[in-house]
C-alpha cells in the first residue's frame, strides 16, 4: 500500500539525528508515530513539533502532510467519480471501455486540477499568514511559519510551530488569525468536488446534490456546534476565563470548526466540562466531507444516517434529501460503514483502556481524535506507553483509509454472485 | 400506551405511606422512578428495595415486574410471529383474513402458552430459591424471598431484598445460588420462541434459524465475556480479592451472564478496572434475545451486525448466517435500529453529563444500563438529581419499548407509496 510505504520512508528520515533540534536520533516508534500523524494529516504529536524537530525535520513533516493530504484528496475524488459513473451508466462494460487512452488523459487532467486547486488555496493562505507573522518575527521566519501553517491547516493536519504544545492558544482573540485558519480548515474539509462546484457556480447555475448536502451539513454542524459549546462553557472560568462575550463566541466558533478535523485549537480542551468534551468527540467522529483532507465518517454519511433514522421513525422506505431519493444500497453502505467505524473506535478505546492509566473520557477523546484524523488532544498522547502509541498509529491509519476503502474499494465485485444461499428468517429487535 | 398507564398507576401505589417501611409517603419522582424500573424490568433503584419499601411496597413492585416482564414478552412474541407470517406469505390481504375469529383463538392460545411457560419456570425457581433461603431465615421469610427473587430474576428485573444495595454480593461463592440465578437469567433472556423450540425439540428434531442464532450468540457472549472479565480482573485485588481461582471464574461467569440483562451482581462493579467496565457497557448494550424479558439491541441484531460488517469487508452482498441468507431489508433494519439506539444512549449520556457531577465512564455505564434495562449500577443512580432521574426514566422506557416499536410497529405501511422522489446521487465515506 502506497500510504504505508510513504509513512515508513518518512519515519526513517525523521529518525535521523539531523531531523531533531538536539541532533540526537529519535526512537523508531516516535518517528513512526510522527510520520503516521503527518501523512494521515492527524496532528497528534508525541513531541512539540516546533521545538523538538530541526528545520530539516519540519520539511520532512511538511512534505508528508502535502503528499498525504493532496494524495488522499486526489485518490478519493477519483474513486468517487469512477463510482458515480459506474452507477449512472449501470453498465460495467462501458466503464471498462471508458478507462481507455482518452479517458486516462481525462483522469490526468483531473488530478492536475485537484493539485492546482490545493496549491492555489495554500498559496493564498501562506501569504495571509506571512503578513500576520511579520508582526511577530523577521521576514524569513514569517515566510517559513506562513508556508508551514498554511499547508498544515489547509490539509487539516493540525501540526504547528508555535512551540510548547501551545497550538494557536496564543491567538485566541486574534480575529485575523482565526478567520484565515477557519477558512483554510473549512475549504480543506469540503473536498475537491465541492470546491470545483463552488468555483464553477456562475457557469453551472445549480449545485449538485452532493454539494448542497456538504454545504448545509457543514453549516449546520458549525452553527449548532458553536451554540452548544458556547452554552456549555460560557460560565466556565477555567476554559473561557474572564474574556468578553465576543471573545467567548469566537473561541466557541473556532472550536466548532476545528472538529471538522482541523486539529489546531485556540483553547485548552482539558479545561472544558465533560459534556462539552463528549460533544466534541461526537463532532470529531462525524468529521469533514468526502474527498477532502479531513477525516471522520463524513458529513454526507451523517446526513444519510439522520435521513435513515427519520425515515424509519416515520415509517417510510426511502431516504430523501433535498427532494431526492437515495439508492437503498448507498444508504445501507453508509449505515454499515458507520457501525464499522464505531466498532473500530471502541476497539481502540478498549485497548487504550487496558494499557494506559488515564480517565476514560480522555482515552475516548484521544481514540476518536486519532480515528477522525483530527489531532485535538486532552494530553494523553504525550504520555502514551509503547503499545498505546501503536494503538493510536493503528487508529490514525485505519481512520484515514478505512471509510474510503470500505465504501469503494471493497464493494461487491460484479459477476461474482454465482450462487446465493437460501433465505432464512430470524427475529431482530 | 398501556405500559405508560401501568407505570403511572404503580407510581401512585408506591407513593402511598403504606408502601414504605417508615410509613412516610414517597416523592412522586422517586415513586415514578421505581415503578418505571420495575415495569421496564430494569432494576436501577434510588432506594434499597429490601429496607425502604414495606411488604405492600414489595408486592406492588413484584406485580409491576410480572406485568412488565410477561406482558412485554407476550407482546413481542405476537409481533414477531405476525410479522413472520406477513413476510412469508408476501400478501397483506391474507394476513387480514387470517386475523379473523379462528385466528384470534389461535392468538389467545399462544398468549396462554407464553404465560404458562413463564409461570412454570418461575415456580421451579421459587422452590429452588426457597430451599436455599431456608438455611438463612424462617420458612415464611424464605418462601417470601424465594418467590420475590425468582420472579425478579427470571424477568431480568434485577430487584432484590438482600438489603443495603448489596444485591447478591453475599452469595458470590455460593455455587447453588449462582447456578439457579444464572439459569433464570438465561432462560428469561432467551425469549418465548426459543423456549418453545427447546421444549419441543424432541418432536421437531431441528432448531429454527432464530433459535440457532440465539443459542450460539448467547453462548459466545457468555463464554467470551467470562474469559475477558477474568483476564482483565484476576490480578485486581479490589474486585476479586484473594479468592481462589475457581471463585474468581465463578464471579466472572456470573458477571458475564448478568449483562444479558439480569441486573443482579455478586461483586462490586465500581472496583473493576476501566477496561472491564467499558467491556460490560458493550455487553449490556447488546443485551438479551428478542421476545424475552431482557433488553438491549438483542443477540440476533448483534449477529446481523457482525454478519453485515463481515460481508462488507469480504465484498459480498448477502449476509449469511448458518448457510441461510437474510433478507436485505431485515439487515438494513437491524443496522438502522442499532444506530438509533446508539444515538439514544449518547443523548442520554450527554444530558446526564450536563446535570450530574460524576466521572464520564460512570455516566455512560448508568445510561447504558438503563437503556439496556440491565440494572447494574456504578452508584450514580443513588445520587441522581431530579433531571437526572427523569433522564434515566426516559432511557429505561425507550430502552424497553424502542427497539421493538421501531422494528415492527413502525415498518413501512402497505399501500402508502403513492409516489417516490427521483433518485439523487451523493458521495459517502
Ligand atoms: K487533523
Ligand atoms: K434488568
Amino acid at each position: 500500500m502506497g500510504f504505508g510505504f510513504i509513512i515508513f520512508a518518512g519515519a526513517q528520515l525523521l529518525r535521523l539525528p539531523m531531523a531533531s533540534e538536539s541532533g540526537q536520533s529519535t526512537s523508531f516508534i516516535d518517528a513512526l508515530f510522527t510520520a503516521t500523524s503527518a501523512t494521515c494529516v492527524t496532528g497528534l504529536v508525541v513531541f512539540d513539533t516546533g521545538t523538538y524537530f530541526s528545520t530539516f525535520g519540519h520539511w520532512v513533516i511538511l512534505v508528508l502532510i502535502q503528499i498525504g493530504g493532496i494524495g488522499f484528496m486526489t485518490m478519493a475524488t477519483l474513486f468517487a467519480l469512477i463510482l458515480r459513473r459506474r452507477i449512472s451508466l449501470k453498465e460495467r462494460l462501458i466503464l471498462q471501455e471508458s478507462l481507455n487512452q482518452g479517458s486516462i488523459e481525462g483522469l490526468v487532467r483531473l488530478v492536475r486540477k485537484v493539485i492546482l486547486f490545493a496549491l492555489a488555496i495554500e498559496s493564498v493562505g501562506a501569504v495571509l499568514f506571512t503578513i500576520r507573522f511579520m508582526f511577530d518575527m523577521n521576514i524569513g521566519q514569517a515566510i517559513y511559519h506562513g508556508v508551514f501553517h498554511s499547508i498544515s491547516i489547509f490539509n487539516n493536519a493540525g501540526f504547528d510551530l508555535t512551540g510548547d504544545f501551545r497550538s494557536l492558544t496564543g491567538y485566541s482573540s486574534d480575529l485575523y488569525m482565526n478567520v484565515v485558519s477557519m477558512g483554510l480548515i473549512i475549504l480543506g474539509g469540503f473536498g475537491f468536488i465541492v470546491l470545483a462546484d463552488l468555483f464553477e457556480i456562475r457557469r453551472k447555475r445549480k449545485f449538485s446534490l452532493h454539494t448542497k448536502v456538504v454545504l448545509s451539513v457543514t453549516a449546520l454542524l458549525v452553527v449548532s456546534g458553536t451554540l452548544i459549546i458556547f452554552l456549555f462553557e460560557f460560565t466556565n472560568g477555567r476554559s473561557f476565563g474572564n474574556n468578553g462575550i465576543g471573545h467567548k463566541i469566537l473561541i466557541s466558533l473556532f472550536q466548532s470548526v476545528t472538529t471538522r478535523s482541523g486539529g489546531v485549537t485556540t483553547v485548552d480542551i482539558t479545561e472544558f466540562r465533560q459534556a462539552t468534551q463528549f460533544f466534541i468527540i461526537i463532532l470529531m467522529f462525524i468529521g469533514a466531507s468526502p474527498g477532502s483532507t479531513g477525516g471522520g465518517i463524513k458529513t454526507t454519511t451523517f446526513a444519510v444516517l439522520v435521513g435513515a433514522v427519520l425515515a424509519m421513525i416515520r415509517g417510510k422506505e426511502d431516504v430523501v434529501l433535498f427532494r431526492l431519493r437515495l439508492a437503498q444500497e448507498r444508504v445501507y453502505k453508509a449505515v454499515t460503514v458507520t457501525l464499522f467505524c464505531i466498532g473500530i473506535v471502541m476497539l481502540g478505546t478498549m485497548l487504550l483502556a487496558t494499557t494506559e492509566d488515564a480517565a476514560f473520557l480522555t482515552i475516548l477523546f484521544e481514540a476518536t481524535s486519532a480515528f477522525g484524523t483530527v489531532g485535538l488532544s486532552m494530553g494523553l498522547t504525550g504520555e502514551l506507553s509503547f503499545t498505546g502509541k501503536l494503538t493510536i498509529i493503528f487508529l490514525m491509519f485505519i481512520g484515514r483509509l478505512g471509510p474510503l476503502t470500505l465504501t469503494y474499494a471493497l464493494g461487491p465485485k460484479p459477476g461474482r454472485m454465482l450462487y446465493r444461499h437460501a433465505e432464512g428468517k430470524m427475529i431482530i429487535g
Side-chain angles (χ1 to χ4, degrees), chain A:
Chain A
M1 222 180 238
F3 264 71
F5 176 76
I6 292 165
I7 290 172
F8 200 76
Q12 293 302 340
L13 289 175
L14 288 174
R15 279 180 83 183
L16 298 175
M18 67 184 288
S20 74
E21 190 65 38
S22 66
Q24 294 187 316
S25 63
T26 305
S27 74
F28 180 67
I29 182 77
D30 289 330
L32 183 69
F33 192 99
T34 308
T36 310
S37 183
T39 313
C40 298
V41 291
T42 307
L44 287 172
V45 287
V46 281
F47 303 121
D48 177 65
T49 316
T51 52
Y52 180 85
F53 289 105
S54 66
T55 307
F56 172 75
H58 293 158
W59 279 106
V60 172
I61 290 172
L62 205 55
V63 169
L64 291 177
I65 291 174
Q66 190 67 281
I67 296 177
I70 297 192
F72 183 83
M73 198 168 164
T74 312
M75 194 171 78
T77 306
L78 289 181
F79 273 21
L81 290 181
I82 288 172
L83 186 90
R84 182 189 269 184
R85 199 178 298 165
R86 181 161 64 184
I87 278 191
S88 64
L89 294 183
K90 283 266 183 205
E91 187 58 74
R92 266 84 187 196
L93 285 173
I94 294 177
L95 170 74
Q96 269 138 28
E97 240 177 74
S98 78
L99 280 173
N100 59 8
Q101 193 61 28
S103 198
I104 284 180
E105 266 173 36
L107 289 184
V108 171
R109 208 162 38 234
L110 181 74
V111 171
R112 200 182 295 154
K113 204 169 158 190
V114 173
I115 294 175
L116 280 177
F117 258 81
L119 291 180
I121 297 177
E122 285 173 358
S123 305
V124 173
V127 170
L128 293 175
F129 273 137
T130 302
I131 292 172
R132 174 65 187 78
F133 285 126
M134 277 167 65
F135 289 87
D136 300 337
M137 46 192 93
N138 70 47
I139 175 91
Q141 282 259 303
I143 293 175
Y144 180 47
H145 277 232
V147 169
F148 188 95
H149 287 104
S150 178
I151 291 178
S152 173
I153 294 179
F154 172 74
N155 286 293
N156 275 290
F159 281 82
D160 64 81
L161 297 179
T162 52
D164 208 19
F165 296 106
R166 265 196 306 260
S167 193
L168 300 183
T169 47
Y171 300 93
S172 76
S173 61
D174 187 322
L175 195 62
Y176 182 87
M177 277 294 278
N178 269 273
V179 169
V180 176
S181 303
M182 289 191 290
L184 286 173
I185 293 173
I186 290 181
L187 288 178
F190 272 160
F192 173 74
I193 292 168
V194 173
L195 291 179
D197 244 24
L198 287 174
F199 197 71
E200 291 167 2
I201 183 62
R202 276 209 205 126
R203 191 162 56 75
K204 286 191 181 166
R205 295 276 180 89
K206 209 168 145 265
F207 285 140
S208 65
L209 173 65
H210 178 75
T211 300
K212 274 189 211 164
V213 171
V214 166
L215 292 179
S216 52
V217 174
T218 304
L220 184 82
L221 288 175
V222 167
V223 171
S224 60
T226 307
L227 213 69
I228 291 182
I229 292 172
F230 179 78
L231 282 177
F232 282 2
E233 292 297 325
F234 82 101
T235 58
N236 182 356
R238 283 177 305 140
S239 63
F240 277 12
N242 294 318
N243 299 309
I245 194 155
H247 188 176
K248 287 179 180 178
I249 293 175
L250 186 63
I251 296 176
S252 306
L253 175 63
F254 191 90
Q255 198 55 41
S256 176
V257 167
T258 197
T259 59
R260 275 298 62 64
S261 69
V264 281
T265 180
T266 60
V267 69
D268 184 358
I269 296 161
T270 347
E271 299 294 357
F272 277 154
R273 294 208 164 96
Q274 281 196 137
T276 317
Q277 290 164 339
F278 183 52
F279 180 66
I280 290 175
I281 288 174
I282 296 173
L283 290 180
M284 293 196 298
F285 184 74
I286 300 172
S289 303
S292 78
T293 60
I297 58 165
K298 308 293 177 302
T299 52
T300 47
T301 308
F302 178 68
V304 175
L305 301 183
V306 173
V309 168
L310 287 182
M312 182 176 62
I313 290 175
R314 287 188 198 152
K316 309 249 166 146
E317 252 170 52
D318 290 341
V319 175
V320 175
L321 295 173
F322 290 103
R323 293 170 172 273
L324 287 170
R325 166 171 55 90
L326 301 180
Q328 188 78 44
E329 60 175 274
R330 304 255 72 205
V331 175
Y332 174 69
K333 197 105 198 190
V335 182
T336 321
V337 168
T338 302
L339 263 186
F340 174 81
C341 293
I342 291 174
I344 290 291
V345 171
M346 288 194 161
L347 179 67
T349 304
M350 187 83 128
L351 288 174
L352 289 172
T354 61
T355 60
E356 310 305 310
D357 181 29
F360 181 78
L361 188 58
T362 307
I363 291 174
L364 182 65
F365 193 100
E366 225 78 1
T368 313
S369 177
F371 177 82
T373 69
V374 180
L376 296 174
S377 172
M378 278 174 65
L380 177 63
T381 298
E383 306 165 353
L384 286 173
S385 67
F386 184 83
T387 46
K389 283 174 188 168
L390 282 181
T391 306
I392 295 281
I393 288 173
F394 160 78
L395 283 171
M396 292 193 288
F397 191 75
I398 204 163
R400 180 83 265 213
L401 294 175
L404 181 79
T405 315
L406 286 176
T407 313
Y408 298 114
L410 294 178
K413 280 138 202 93
R416 266 189 51 191
M417 290 270 279
L418 294 176
Y419 93 107
R420 294 181 89 181
H421 289 271
E423 190 179 326
K425 287 185 192 63
M426 200 179 63
I427 300 154
I428 60 162

